[in-house]
Structures are given as C-alpha cells and as structure tokens.
Amino acid sequence: MLDVLQTPIRHNRNVKRPVPAWIIPVIAILVLQTTTSFLSRLIPIISPVLTQEFGWNGSLIGYLTTANTVGALLILVAGAALIRYIGGIRTVQIGLLLGAISVVLFFFPSITLALVASFMIGLSYGAASPAGSEILQRFSPPESRNLVFSIKQAGVPLGGVIAGLAVPPLVELTGWRITLLIAAVFVIGITCLTWRLSARVDEPTATQKTFAWSALLSARNVAIPLRSLARGQGSLKLSMAGSLLAATQSCWFTFSVIYLVERLDLSLNMAGLVFAVMQATGVVGRITLGWIADRSGSATLTLSLAAIGSSITTALLGFSTSEWPLWAIIAIAAAAGATAASWNGVQIAEVARRSPAGMVTETAAGSAILIYMANMIAPAAFAAFVAATGHFDQAFLAAAVCSLLSLVFLVGVDKQTKTVGNTA
C-alpha cells in the first residue's frame, strides 16, 4: 500500500486526481448565496407592480428593504450560536424555507403583512455571510482566499441577474402573484436539492445535543461578535468602511428599478434588464476584485478603488434624466455593478483573515451586523427623503458621498499588524 501511495500520479493515467477539498464547500455556499439573493431581490423588482395595484407610495420600497434587513440582523445576532449548533449550511436552508413560504403575504393589500414577509425573507440572507465565512475560512487555500470568498459573494449579484431577467417577463406573462409562487417553488426546490450538503460541509460539532434556545437573543450574543470584531487587527476599520459602501450599494439595489420606471420612464421589463446588467457585471466584478486583491497583496487598495468607482457611478445615476439615451443608463449600471456592487468578497475575506483565533464566525457576524445596520438605515433614510422632497437625484448624491467617506477608514489599515490569528 505504501508503494502505491508513493507512486507519482503521472505514472498511472488511470488514477484520477482528487477534487480539491474546497470545491464542494464553495459550490454549496455559492448556490445558497445565489438563492438567498434571488429571494431578496424579488422585493425591489416587484415593487412598481405592488405600488400600482395597491396604491402605495413608491418610496415604501425603502421600508420593505429595511424590514428585510431587520430580519437579517436578527439572524446575525443569533447566528454565531445557531451556526455552531445546527451548522452554517442548515441555518441558511431553514431561512430559505421560511422566506419562500412567506412570499404569499405579499398577496394581500396590507403594508403590515408586506413588512412581515420582507422580514422573513431577510432571515436567510443574514445567515449567508457568517455561515459562508466560517466554512470558507476552514476550506479555502490561503493564497487564494480573496478569490474564493469573492466567488462565494458573486452569488449575490448572480441571484440579482436571475431575478432581473426572469421576474419582469414572468409578471407580464402570468401576473405578479403567480410569479411569486413560481419563485417560491424555485427557492424550495434548490433548498431541497442541497439539503444533504450540510452533513458533508458543516462541522461535526454542529450536531451537539444541548443548546439553550432562550440564549439566542441574549445581550451576550450581541456583545461577542462586536467584541471579537474589535479584537481583530483592523477588522473594525474594514467593517466601518464596508458599512459605508453597503449604504451606497443598498440604495442601488433598492431604488434603481423604481427610479428607472417612475423617473426615467422605462418599462418594467427594460428596468429589469438594466438591473440584471448591473448584477451581471457585479458577478464578474466581485471575482475580478478578489483576483486583484490576491495578486496585489492589498485588499485595502482594491477596496479604495471600488469605493471611488462606486461614488462616481452613483452620482451619475443621480444626474441622469429621461432624456439620456438608454445605452448611457446601461453603461452606468454596468460600471456600478463592477464597483458599487463588487467590494463585498474582498472585504469579507480580509475581515475573516484578520479575525482572532477561533473567532471567524463571530467576527464575520460582527462585521455583518455593522454592514446590515447600514443596509437598514440607508434605504429608510433614502425613502423618507424622497417622500418628503421628491428628489431622487439628491438622495443618490448623498449615497455617493457615503462611498467616498469609506476611504477615511481604509487609510492606515495596512499599517496594522497583519499576523493572522486563525490560519485554518
């Protein structure tokens, strides 16, 4: 047996090279991340139809997005303990099932039920970040960590591409209620197909028998992620920068479709196409930025370039009018996808790399809490401003300033010690 193991593989053409250990976890997380994103993107894409049918104000979408983020924050607070108990993959899957079932609440002309549905959908979306960070930190090769994390995060815009291309035509063909049912069946189907992956990817310790469910929402569960974030070497600054970039990104994701329909006079199909273009370039952009960060050796420089691009494209969207040619709007959306929507993988990988030993899940959750706070506040503030003034342009310009402010927190991060506590 020893002789066989010592025989070089090239001498035996019948021996297949083993699949790298990180391939299956990355695919599993990518598929689930894409599905959670698809589910969350339903809200902004169908918002013009909801506002038209129920007579709601168009700015309401900002509050629905805020409710979605509150759900994500709730699972982040409980996430570290829950992930350790049932596993990261399983946590995301349960959230997806709850979110898919809750879409039926949109059928009723009740803002309260719509807020509840948005909240439930947020549960799966919030679980994806800490669960993915914990799993990929264990499996990803150190020399390609930014790229691997960025591939996982590419699932966010990929879900948006699917939603942007599929949902508007389905709405036109079958009506928005049937479209939501089809989307729910799709999400449940993906969840069922990936159900067995939990046993293969989640840590064995996730099957522990004793667990205090009453402790899920305790103050300790909030304090631990934030404390571990503060203990990381530069993780807090990176998370503050990420929260400002997230504020801009959330405004793009939340308001771009309704802005294109209501202010630029595009059809829902065309607005969905523009949204899909932004998400598609986001897929390429996230992977490209991850590759650049690995090759350059500087995640902060990569994030700085993304922040500048995010600010420019968001300001251009604010200046746009219905007289602008369609190609110009598409070009802005494409550039925004590569910048405003592409920083996440690099930021998450760098936070995980700098986390204290054995605290990757908690540090990722702490960072995600700050980012999701921005995702909660920015759309609500944007919606309130537009409702009060009617000025989308000024609201987008304010979002552009947020991206520029992120540069303040990125300065000097690389001067801090880069010794990694957890090299798993």
Side-chain angles (χ1 to χ4, degrees), residues 222-256:
V222 179
I224 290 177
L226 296 178
R227 194 182 305 124
S228 64
L229 182 64
R231 286 172 54 197
Q233 297 157 8
S235 296
L236 182 58
K237 279 190 171 183
L238 285 164
S239 299
M240 293 300 296
S243 66
L244 288 165
L245 290 169
T248 307
Q249 183 186 64
S250 66
C251 292
W252 266 98
F253 286 176
T254 303
F255 296 100
S256 57

mmCIF file of all heavy atoms in Angstrom, residues 222-256:
data_model
loop_
_atom_site.group_PDB
_atom_site.id
_atom_site.type_symbol
_atom_site.label_atom_id
_atom_site.label_comp_id
_atom_site.label_asym_id
_atom_site.label_seq_id
_atom_site.Cartn_x
_atom_site.Cartn_y
_atom_site.Cartn_z
ATOM 1 N N VAL A 222 -25.008 39.465 21.238
ATOM 2 C CA VAL A 222 -24.712 40.699 20.518
ATOM 3 C C VAL A 222 -23.293 41.144 20.820
ATOM 4 O O VAL A 222 -22.555 41.600 19.937
ATOM 5 C CB VAL A 222 -25.711 41.811 20.912
ATOM 6 C CG1 VAL A 222 -25.388 43.099 20.169
ATOM 7 C CG2 VAL A 222 -27.133 41.373 20.616
ATOM 8 N N ALA A 223 -22.897 41.010 22.084
ATOM 9 C CA ALA A 223 -21.603 41.523 22.521
ATOM 10 C C ALA A 223 -20.435 40.720 21.944
ATOM 11 O O ALA A 223 -19.406 41.290 21.576
ATOM 12 C CB ALA A 223 -21.527 41.531 24.044
ATOM 13 N N ILE A 224 -20.581 39.402 21.864
ATOM 14 C CA ILE A 224 -19.468 38.563 21.414
ATOM 15 C C ILE A 224 -19.018 38.903 19.996
ATOM 16 O O ILE A 224 -17.821 39.099 19.753
ATOM 17 C CB ILE A 224 -19.825 37.065 21.544
ATOM 18 C CG1 ILE A 224 -19.882 36.660 23.010
ATOM 19 C CG2 ILE A 224 -18.815 36.194 20.796
ATOM 20 C CD1 ILE A 224 -20.307 35.222 23.236
ATOM 21 N N PRO A 225 -19.916 39.005 18.995
ATOM 22 C CA PRO A 225 -19.457 39.367 17.653
ATOM 23 C C PRO A 225 -18.789 40.734 17.601
ATOM 24 O O PRO A 225 -17.747 40.909 16.940
ATOM 25 C CB PRO A 225 -20.750 39.357 16.822
ATOM 26 C CG PRO A 225 -21.667 38.453 17.553
ATOM 27 C CD PRO A 225 -21.357 38.674 18.995
ATOM 28 N N LEU A 226 -19.356 41.719 18.296
ATOM 29 C CA LEU A 226 -18.773 43.059 18.259
ATOM 30 C C LEU A 226 -17.433 43.100 18.993
ATOM 31 O O LEU A 226 -16.502 43.795 18.576
ATOM 32 C CB LEU A 226 -19.747 44.066 18.872
ATOM 33 C CG LEU A 226 -21.073 44.237 18.102
ATOM 34 C CD1 LEU A 226 -21.978 45.216 18.816
ATOM 35 C CD2 LEU A 226 -20.808 44.694 16.674
ATOM 36 N N ARG A 227 -17.327 42.336 20.092
ATOM 37 C CA ARG A 227 -16.070 42.292 20.841
ATOM 38 C C ARG A 227 -14.977 41.614 20.016
ATOM 39 O O ARG A 227 -13.833 42.068 19.975
ATOM 40 C CB ARG A 227 -16.268 41.556 22.166
ATOM 41 C CG ARG A 227 -15.107 41.750 23.143
ATOM 42 C CD ARG A 227 -15.329 40.972 24.427
ATOM 43 N NE ARG A 227 -16.602 41.329 25.040
ATOM 44 C CZ ARG A 227 -17.555 40.456 25.341
ATOM 45 N NH1 ARG A 227 -17.394 39.174 25.062
ATOM 46 N NH2 ARG A 227 -18.669 40.852 25.914
ATOM 47 N N SER A 228 -15.323 40.519 19.349
ATOM 48 C CA SER A 228 -14.327 39.830 18.525
ATOM 49 C C SER A 228 -13.931 40.687 17.336
ATOM 50 O O SER A 228 -12.778 40.660 16.893
ATOM 51 C CB SER A 228 -14.882 38.482 18.041
ATOM 52 O OG SER A 228 -16.004 38.671 17.197
ATOM 53 N N LEU A 229 -14.870 41.485 16.839
ATOM 54 C CA LEU A 229 -14.557 42.404 15.741
ATOM 55 C C LEU A 229 -13.550 43.454 16.193
ATOM 56 O O LEU A 229 -12.594 43.767 15.474
ATOM 57 C CB LEU A 229 -15.845 43.079 15.261
ATOM 58 C CG LEU A 229 -15.729 44.039 14.073
ATOM 59 C CD1 LEU A 229 -15.275 43.304 12.825
ATOM 60 C CD2 LEU A 229 -17.077 44.719 13.821
ATOM 61 N N ALA A 230 -13.731 43.976 17.392
ATOM 62 C CA ALA A 230 -12.805 44.975 17.922
ATOM 63 C C ALA A 230 -11.428 44.386 18.185
ATOM 64 O O ALA A 230 -10.410 45.095 18.118
ATOM 65 C CB ALA A 230 -13.380 45.586 19.201
ATOM 66 N N ARG A 231 -11.370 43.081 18.491
ATOM 67 C CA ARG A 231 -10.086 42.428 18.768
ATOM 68 C C ARG A 231 -9.319 42.097 17.501
ATOM 69 O O ARG A 231 -8.116 41.854 17.538
ATOM 70 C CB ARG A 231 -10.334 41.141 19.565
ATOM 71 C CG ARG A 231 -10.716 41.385 21.024
ATOM 72 C CD ARG A 231 -11.125 40.076 21.674
ATOM 73 N NE ARG A 231 -10.089 39.058 21.518
ATOM 74 C CZ ARG A 231 -10.294 37.757 21.698
ATOM 75 N NH1 ARG A 231 -11.518 37.321 22.014
ATOM 76 N NH2 ARG A 231 -9.311 36.890 21.557
ATOM 77 N N GLY A 232 -9.995 42.045 16.374
ATOM 78 C CA GLY A 232 -9.315 41.761 15.114
ATOM 79 C C GLY A 232 -8.393 42.898 14.724
ATOM 80 O O GLY A 232 -8.606 44.062 15.087
ATOM 81 N N GLN A 233 -7.372 42.597 13.975
ATOM 82 C CA GLN A 233 -6.349 43.581 13.617
ATOM 83 C C GLN A 233 -6.766 44.360 12.372
ATOM 84 O O GLN A 233 -6.463 43.981 11.251
ATOM 85 C CB GLN A 233 -5.013 42.870 13.416
ATOM 86 C CG GLN A 233 -4.531 42.223 14.700
ATOM 87 C CD GLN A 233 -3.564 41.085 14.452
ATOM 88 O OE1 GLN A 233 -3.142 40.866 13.338
ATOM 89 N NE2 GLN A 233 -3.233 40.364 15.492
ATOM 90 N N GLY A 234 -7.506 45.457 12.603
ATOM 91 C CA GLY A 234 -8.012 46.267 11.508
ATOM 92 C C GLY A 234 -9.406 45.880 11.070
ATOM 93 O O GLY A 234 -9.979 46.522 10.179
ATOM 94 N N SER A 235 -9.992 44.864 11.693
ATOM 95 C CA SER A 235 -11.321 44.389 11.278
ATOM 96 C C SER A 235 -12.403 45.443 11.490
ATOM 97 O O SER A 235 -13.336 45.560 10.692
ATOM 98 C CB SER A 235 -11.692 43.119 12.046
ATOM 99 O OG SER A 235 -10.811 42.067 11.735
ATOM 100 N N LEU A 236 -12.281 46.215 12.577
ATOM 101 C CA LEU A 236 -13.293 47.224 12.859
ATOM 102 C C LEU A 236 -13.281 48.320 11.802
ATOM 103 O O LEU A 236 -14.337 48.744 11.314
ATOM 104 C CB LEU A 236 -13.072 47.820 14.251
ATOM 105 C CG LEU A 236 -14.106 48.858 14.699
ATOM 106 C CD1 LEU A 236 -15.504 48.263 14.678
ATOM 107 C CD2 LEU A 236 -13.767 49.381 16.097
ATOM 108 N N LYS A 237 -12.090 48.793 11.421
ATOM 109 C CA LYS A 237 -11.996 49.814 10.379
ATOM 110 C C LYS A 237 -12.528 49.288 9.045
ATOM 111 O O LYS A 237 -13.238 49.995 8.315
ATOM 112 C CB LYS A 237 -10.545 50.275 10.211
ATOM 113 C CG LYS A 237 -10.078 51.291 11.237
ATOM 114 C CD LYS A 237 -8.725 51.863 10.836
ATOM 115 C CE LYS A 237 -8.341 53.030 11.727
ATOM 116 N NZ LYS A 237 -7.055 53.636 11.282
ATOM 117 N N LEU A 238 -12.176 48.059 8.719
ATOM 118 C CA LEU A 238 -12.666 47.460 7.476
ATOM 119 C C LEU A 238 -14.192 47.334 7.497
ATOM 120 O O LEU A 238 -14.850 47.509 6.464
ATOM 121 C CB LEU A 238 -12.035 46.087 7.277
ATOM 122 C CG LEU A 238 -10.571 46.077 6.818
ATOM 123 C CD1 LEU A 238 -9.963 44.698 7.029
ATOM 124 C CD2 LEU A 238 -10.471 46.482 5.358
ATOM 125 N N SER A 239 -14.735 47.066 8.663
ATOM 126 C CA SER A 239 -16.180 46.924 8.772
ATOM 127 C C SER A 239 -16.882 48.276 8.683
ATOM 128 O O SER A 239 -17.982 48.380 8.110
ATOM 129 C CB SER A 239 -16.539 46.230 10.082
ATOM 130 O OG SER A 239 -15.969 44.933 10.114
ATOM 131 N N MET A 240 -16.271 49.315 9.233
ATOM 132 C CA MET A 240 -16.844 50.650 9.096
ATOM 133 C C MET A 240 -16.838 51.095 7.632
ATOM 134 O O MET A 240 -17.811 51.670 7.135
ATOM 135 C CB MET A 240 -16.058 51.641 9.956
ATOM 136 C CG MET A 240 -16.194 51.412 11.451
ATOM 137 S SD MET A 240 -17.900 51.541 12.038
ATOM 138 C CE MET A 240 -18.254 53.257 11.682
ATOM 139 N N ALA A 241 -15.723 50.793 6.950
ATOM 140 C CA ALA A 241 -15.658 51.099 5.518
ATOM 141 C C ALA A 241 -16.717 50.310 4.757
ATOM 142 O O ALA A 241 -17.407 50.835 3.874
ATOM 143 C CB ALA A 241 -14.264 50.787 4.977
ATOM 144 N N GLY A 242 -16.866 49.032 5.120
ATOM 145 C CA GLY A 242 -17.864 48.194 4.470
ATOM 146 C C GLY A 242 -19.281 48.706 4.691
ATOM 147 O O GLY A 242 -20.124 48.637 3.793
ATOM 148 N N SER A 243 -19.560 49.232 5.881
ATOM 149 C CA SER A 243 -20.909 49.731 6.158
ATOM 150 C C SER A 243 -21.230 50.948 5.291
ATOM 151 O O SER A 243 -22.369 51.107 4.827
ATOM 152 C CB SER A 243 -21.051 50.076 7.638
ATOM 153 O OG SER A 243 -20.218 51.160 7.992
ATOM 154 N N LEU A 244 -20.248 51.796 5.038
ATOM 155 C CA LEU A 244 -20.475 52.965 4.176
ATOM 156 C C LEU A 244 -20.639 52.542 2.715
ATOM 157 O O LEU A 244 -21.494 53.081 1.992
ATOM 158 C CB LEU A 244 -19.317 53.946 4.322
ATOM 159 C CG LEU A 244 -19.291 54.705 5.656
ATOM 160 C CD1 LEU A 244 -17.947 55.372 5.887
ATOM 161 C CD2 LEU A 244 -20.410 55.748 5.695
ATOM 162 N N LEU A 245 -19.841 51.589 2.285
ATOM 163 C CA LEU A 245 -20.015 51.064 0.927
ATOM 164 C C LEU A 245 -21.360 50.364 0.788
ATOM 165 O O LEU A 245 -22.011 50.434 -0.261
ATOM 166 C CB LEU A 245 -18.875 50.090 0.603
ATOM 167 C CG LEU A 245 -17.493 50.710 0.426
ATOM 168 C CD1 LEU A 245 -16.414 49.629 0.368
ATOM 169 C CD2 LEU A 245 -17.433 51.567 -0.836
ATOM 170 N N ALA A 246 -21.788 49.691 1.863
ATOM 171 C CA ALA A 246 -23.078 49.000 1.835
ATOM 172 C C ALA A 246 -24.240 49.979 1.743
ATOM 173 O O ALA A 246 -25.273 49.675 1.127
ATOM 174 C CB ALA A 246 -23.223 48.128 3.083
ATOM 175 N N ALA A 247 -24.091 51.153 2.358
ATOM 176 C CA ALA A 247 -25.149 52.166 2.285
ATOM 177 C C ALA A 247 -25.410 52.554 0.831
ATOM 178 O O ALA A 247 -26.567 52.641 0.392
ATOM 179 C CB ALA A 247 -24.768 53.392 3.106
ATOM 180 N N THR A 248 -24.329 52.762 0.086
ATOM 181 C CA THR A 248 -24.470 53.105 -1.335
ATOM 182 C C THR A 248 -25.050 51.928 -2.110
ATOM 183 O O THR A 248 -25.964 52.080 -2.921
ATOM 184 C CB THR A 248 -23.106 53.486 -1.929
ATOM 185 O OG1 THR A 248 -22.516 54.507 -1.128
ATOM 186 C CG2 THR A 248 -23.252 53.986 -3.351
ATOM 187 N N GLN A 249 -24.508 50.747 -1.869
ATOM 188 C CA GLN A 249 -24.960 49.549 -2.584
ATOM 189 C C GLN A 249 -26.435 49.280 -2.350
ATOM 190 O O GLN A 249 -27.178 48.943 -3.283
ATOM 191 C CB GLN A 249 -24.131 48.350 -2.132
ATOM 192 C CG GLN A 249 -24.450 47.051 -2.857
ATOM 193 C CD GLN A 249 -23.694 45.887 -2.244
ATOM 194 O OE1 GLN A 249 -23.904 45.524 -1.091
ATOM 195 N NE2 GLN A 249 -22.790 45.307 -3.012
ATOM 196 N N SER A 250 -26.895 49.434 -1.112
ATOM 197 C CA SER A 250 -28.297 49.158 -0.798
ATOM 198 C C SER A 250 -29.228 50.119 -1.524
ATOM 199 O O SER A 250 -30.347 49.741 -1.907
ATOM 200 C CB SER A 250 -28.524 49.233 0.715
ATOM 201 O OG SER A 250 -28.327 50.541 1.204
ATOM 202 N N CYS A 251 -28.787 51.352 -1.724
ATOM 203 C CA CYS A 251 -29.610 52.319 -2.461
ATOM 204 C C CYS A 251 -29.719 51.918 -3.935
ATOM 205 O O CYS A 251 -30.781 52.060 -4.549
ATOM 206 C CB CYS A 251 -29.027 53.722 -2.326
ATOM 207 S SG CYS A 251 -29.158 54.386 -0.642
ATOM 208 N N TRP A 252 -28.625 51.411 -4.501
ATOM 209 C CA TRP A 252 -28.672 50.900 -5.874
ATOM 210 C C TRP A 252 -29.640 49.729 -5.975
ATOM 211 O O TRP A 252 -30.521 49.690 -6.838
ATOM 212 C CB TRP A 252 -27.281 50.446 -6.319
ATOM 213 C CG TRP A 252 -26.495 51.481 -7.048
ATOM 214 C CD1 TRP A 252 -25.536 52.307 -6.542
ATOM 215 C CD2 TRP A 252 -26.587 51.791 -8.445
ATOM 216 N NE1 TRP A 252 -25.032 53.107 -7.524
ATOM 217 C CE2 TRP A 252 -25.648 52.814 -8.703
ATOM 218 C CE3 TRP A 252 -27.357 51.309 -9.498
ATOM 219 C CZ2 TRP A 252 -25.470 53.364 -9.976
ATOM 220 C CZ3 TRP A 252 -27.181 51.851 -10.766
ATOM 221 C CH2 TRP A 252 -26.253 52.870 -10.998
ATOM 222 N N PHE A 253 -29.470 48.749 -5.092
ATOM 223 C CA PHE A 253 -30.280 47.533 -5.155
ATOM 224 C C PHE A 253 -31.758 47.822 -4.897
ATOM 225 O O PHE A 253 -32.633 47.202 -5.499
ATOM 226 C CB PHE A 253 -29.785 46.512 -4.140
ATOM 227 C CG PHE A 253 -28.484 45.848 -4.521
ATOM 228 C CD1 PHE A 253 -27.873 44.957 -3.656
ATOM 229 C CD2 PHE A 253 -27.874 46.108 -5.733
ATOM 230 C CE1 PHE A 253 -26.675 44.329 -4.002
ATOM 231 C CE2 PHE A 253 -26.684 45.496 -6.089
ATOM 232 C CZ PHE A 253 -26.086 44.600 -5.222
ATOM 233 N N THR A 254 -32.031 48.762 -3.997
ATOM 234 C CA THR A 254 -33.411 49.009 -3.577
ATOM 235 C C THR A 254 -34.175 49.913 -4.536
ATOM 236 O O THR A 254 -35.332 49.640 -4.868
ATOM 237 C CB THR A 254 -33.429 49.633 -2.164
ATOM 238 O OG1 THR A 254 -32.741 48.774 -1.253
ATOM 239 C CG2 THR A 254 -34.850 49.850 -1.689
ATOM 240 N N PHE A 255 -33.539 50.989 -4.991
ATOM 241 C CA PHE A 255 -34.285 52.039 -5.677
ATOM 242 C C PHE A 255 -34.036 52.133 -7.178
ATOM 243 O O PHE A 255 -34.722 52.914 -7.849
ATOM 244 C CB PHE A 255 -33.973 53.399 -5.038
ATOM 245 C CG PHE A 255 -34.419 53.502 -3.615
ATOM 246 C CD1 PHE A 255 -33.521 53.346 -2.579
ATOM 247 C CD2 PHE A 255 -35.755 53.739 -3.308
ATOM 248 C CE1 PHE A 255 -33.929 53.436 -1.259
ATOM 249 C CE2 PHE A 255 -36.171 53.823 -1.990
ATOM 250 C CZ PHE A 255 -35.265 53.667 -0.961
ATOM 251 N N SER A 256 -33.094 51.375 -7.708
ATOM 252 C CA SER A 256 -32.774 51.563 -9.124
ATOM 253 C C SER A 256 -33.958 51.208 -10.026
ATOM 254 O O SER A 256 -34.270 51.954 -10.975
ATOM 255 C CB SER A 256 -31.543 50.736 -9.514
ATOM 256 O OG SER A 256 -31.736 49.362 -9.239
#
